[in-house]
Amino acid sequence: MQKHWVSLDDIAPDLQLALVAGEDNNFLTHNGFDIEAIKKAMEYNKTHPKETHGASTISQQTAKNVFLWDGRTYLRKGLEVYFTFLIETFWSKKRIMEVYLNEIEMGDGIYGAEAASQAYYKKPAKNLSRAEAASICAIVPSPRYWSPVNPNGSVLMRKEAILWNMNNIVKVDYEHPVKYEAPVAPSTQRETKNK
């Protein structure tokens, strides 16, 4: 297992932006739960039962990665809600992002931004380019099966959609959060089929 904790200051702002653009557009303005995204996922899942989309926010994913286990039980989801509420209450958004970027699985046995950056691009996470950041973010829904350096069609489509969203969101501003209201590229929907 590869893992190396680094501060948020040592992670490229473009990787933070890519994760907001690809995983949780309203991260800075919601209280841990994106109700609009949950409603959209529920509607989609009713008509596409074999291709389910999730609506877990960065805060929820952080709660799951730090305190819980993988799985789809009502008990785990209930505990995830509880821990999400706690981290949203006691941690800043900047702290949530830092923990998320150090705990998220970004490849088979690769955890965190620094380990992923070193494994895939042989450089520190703070030196990732915009395209490299989008490529890493593109594999988040299925990190054990997808690769940012040998991408399949799904990864390439997600990368392009993430780059499009990054251009529209512009930056992650922890001090002056703004709700992102522009249309979002549809292929960045969080797929949970392989999680």
Side-chain angles (χ1 to χ4, degrees):
M1 176 168 73
Q2 299 176 47
K3 187 174 184 179
H4 182 72
W5 186 282
V6 293
S7 79
L8 197 59
D9 295 332
D10 290 325
I11 298 173
D14 277 334
L15 185 56
Q16 298 170 52
L17 177 59
L19 285 160
V20 169
E23 290 293 300
D24 187 359
N25 295 299
N26 295 314
F27 168 66
L28 294 174
T29 58
H30 63 58
N31 64 354
F33 307 95
D34 189 336
I35 303 304
E36 292 173 33
I38 291 168
K39 288 177 184 175
K40 286 179 186 175
M42 289 173 67
E43 286 300 315
Y44 182 89
N45 294 342
K46 283 180 189 176
T47 57
H48 300 83
K50 293 183 181 179
E51 296 177 22
T52 58
H53 284 179
S56 291
T57 63
I58 287 173
S59 302
Q60 288 175 275
Q61 292 176 47
T62 302
K64 180 190 72 131
N65 291 341
V66 173
F67 301 110
L68 302 169
W69 61 92
D70 282 334
R72 291 184 182 208
T73 66
Y74 290 116
L75 173 63
R76 194 202 56 78
K77 201 63 175 172
L79 290 170
E80 180 183 302
V81 168
Y82 172 74
F83 283 112
T84 300
F85 173 76
L86 287 178
I87 67 173
E88 280 282 337
T89 300
F90 295 108
W91 293 355
S92 68
K93 292 289 188 174
K94 195 171 184 178
R95 176 64 178 162
I96 293 169
M97 179 64 79
E98 181 178 62
V99 173
Y100 179 72
L101 281 166
N102 279 286
E103 293 294 330
I104 187 171
E105 185 174 16
M106 294 183 166
D108 192 12
I110 301 170
Y111 292 87
E114 184 67 22
S117 183
Q118 293 291 347
Y120 297 124
Y121 300 110
K122 312 292 186 233
K123 63 169 88 170
K126 67 181 173 185
N127 295 336
L128 286 170
S129 71
R130 191 172 186 86
E132 291 165 342
S135 293
I136 288 174
C137 179
I139 70 163
V140 168
S142 193
R144 293 180 187 169
Y145 304 102
W146 290 351
S147 168
V149 292
N150 295 308
N152 62 24
S154 295
V155 173
L156 291 173
M157 283 180 19
R158 277 187 53 79
K159 176 185 174 185
E160 290 307 312
I162 290 164
L163 286 167
W164 186 87
N165 285 350
M166 289 170 74
N167 289 335
N168 287 298
I169 296 172
V170 183
K171 74 175 191 171
V172 177
D173 187 343
Y174 298 101
E175 302 302 318
H176 304 98
V178 175
K179 183 171 174 74
Y180 180 65
E181 306 225 9
V184 176
S187 61
T188 60
Q189 293 292 322
R190 292 176 284 273
E191 298 175 27
T192 60
K193 191 174 182 183
N194 293 321
K195 276 192 171 179

